Amino acid sequence: MTDAATLAHRIAQGRGDEPADLVIHGAKLLDLVGGDLVETDIALCGDTIVGAHGRYEGKAVFDAKGLVAVPGFIDTHLHVESSLVTPLEFERCVLPHGVTTAICDPHEIANVLGVEGIRYFLACAQAMRMDLRVQLSSCVPATHLETAGAALEAGDLAPFMNHPQVIGLAEFMNFPGVLHRDPGCLAKLAAFSERHIDGHAPLVRGKDLNGYLAAGIRTDHETTTLDEAREKLAKGMAILIREGSVSKDLHALIPLITRDASPFLAFCTDDRNPLDIAEEGHLDFMIRTAIAHGADVLATYRTASLSAARNFGLFDRGFIGPGKRADIVLVEDLAACRVAHVFAGGRLVKEALFADRRPVAPVGLSSVKSRHLTPDDFTVRARPGETPVIGVVPGRIITERLSMRLPEQDDAALPDLAQDAIKVTVIERHGRNGGIATGFVHGFGMRHGAIASSVGHDSHNLCVVGVDEPSMAAAANRLIALGGGFAVAEAGEVTAELALPVAGLMSDRPFEEVRHGLEGLRRAAKALGVVLAEPFLQVAFLTLPVIPHLKITDKGLVDVDRFDFV
């Protein structure tokens, strides 16, 4: 709540009765209503814009001549954990790219640690310089088909509902549970019926979509085609256009970005790592890409800021005008979205801004509880006829169900490099049941060795992909010793690694070190013959249950045509 004295200062500085705390002078302001560029001063009182479209005196002046001022960018759906760094390092990574607000779902850490993970994210949010808003994770566990580290019911989430950083309920990916009126799903939806509820509805169409929206769900980031997007928009659902390190939907949805449709759109990254951010950018990359491929400039910047804010009820930002939060990006060129300077809550973003943040102790440093593994743990019993094989689709988290006749030896199925069929093993790592399951995957191009990851959406068990069992065991055992991360092994020896000890998901090191580590991992993976651009994130999504043909039975169960591990 703002006190009367602060309001008095804002009014006085806005009227010009006293000098503004800071004046950004000489910028051309992009008018998000009409699209005009207006040269003006922008007056700030603390963290709030109090003046625009005029000239102001200031106690401090920032020269922005030759630059264009646009509102700070808002990433409307992401999992900070997938950046592989802690929230405090995440903001150091993305704030210079103009991302002043991020709306996160701590779904990954919640599936490992439960409420402890949510508490950690809320503590980080209160220490950060950007505004990190938290959606409470709705699907922990994400599915009954996997073993997660925790379970959260409506009663577990309710105590966090009124936290100042909480918006509402995160992506409701259990759409079968919604459609079949599962009691646990209904309890969560009812508890948050007066709050924002994010959606997750890939390929949900027709009356199923009507039923899903009738539950009060408002947004979707899993839309991948224009036809699907247009149906959802027509039914009042906001579309969050996604472009991450693995899931890349921007190009398919660029035609949506028009002045008429932009109020119902927003941008999101979902999962993007520091290496891709360094090489391409973050939301600034999405903006310049959309414009380069024909999107209207005004509609694109609206989508990145004003529309994003309004679709999530954040009416205090997304626009450069009096009374709005002073999140301002100064760009050298609108089309190229070259970010020159960023103000977050009225403060210029530079390294000194992060110096006095309150430290937040890491959590989940002993979350990998798997036993030591041997090469024999990675054998696969041969089956008559053809063997099911997961087919990787580059740039998508959706996989294909393939079948191949594989070579055999001593009643064991073997990899077949001629068909690009290698082994994939999932190892339960939460200390629940010690389960290990091995099958086959196509699409990595790997010729020898193995790669392993403790990032395995959504339950985050260990996942190993490899050609030979000694290398698979070496990579997996190294991750157990590190407390989580990524590893590459060749001839039974580890050749590259990146430790992710915070819940087995995030590094406790600066993002620059994580970026450097990812570069080494990419090189090591390519040396094995891997052809995928993002092999480790592809591994992370590899064993998600695939639901191309979904039925809801009278018992509330889901029949899934999916890959069955043997």
Side-chain angles (χ1 to χ4, degrees), residues 112 206 272 351 419 464:
V112 177
R272 197 160 180 83
E351 193 58 34
Q419 297 186 80
V464 189

Side-chain angles (χ1 to χ4, degrees), residues 94-169:
V94 304
L95 255 177
H97 291 272
V99 182
T100 54
T101 300
I103 301 171
C104 78
D105 171 9
H107 170 86
E108 318 306 345
I109 197 170
N111 266 280
V112 177
L113 302 177
V115 294
E116 182 185 10
I118 294 176
R119 289 195 189 100
Y120 170 71
F121 263 65
L122 291 172
C124 288
Q126 292 187 304
M128 292 168 67
R129 299 299 178 244
M130 71 183 298
D131 192 16
L132 182 71
R133 295 301 180 101
V134 177
Q135 298 279 67
L136 298 176
S137 304
S138 67
C139 295
V140 180
T143 170
H144 67 281
L145 299 172
E146 298 180 275
T147 303
L152 296 178
E153 303 298 339
D156 301 308
L157 300 175
F160 301 105
M161 187 182 299
N162 294 318
H163 190 285
Q165 296 304 120
V166 168
I167 293 179
L169 195 61

Side-chain angles (χ1 to χ4, degrees), residues 16 37 84 173 281 461 556:
L37 287 174
L84 309 178
M173 62 178 63
N461 292 301

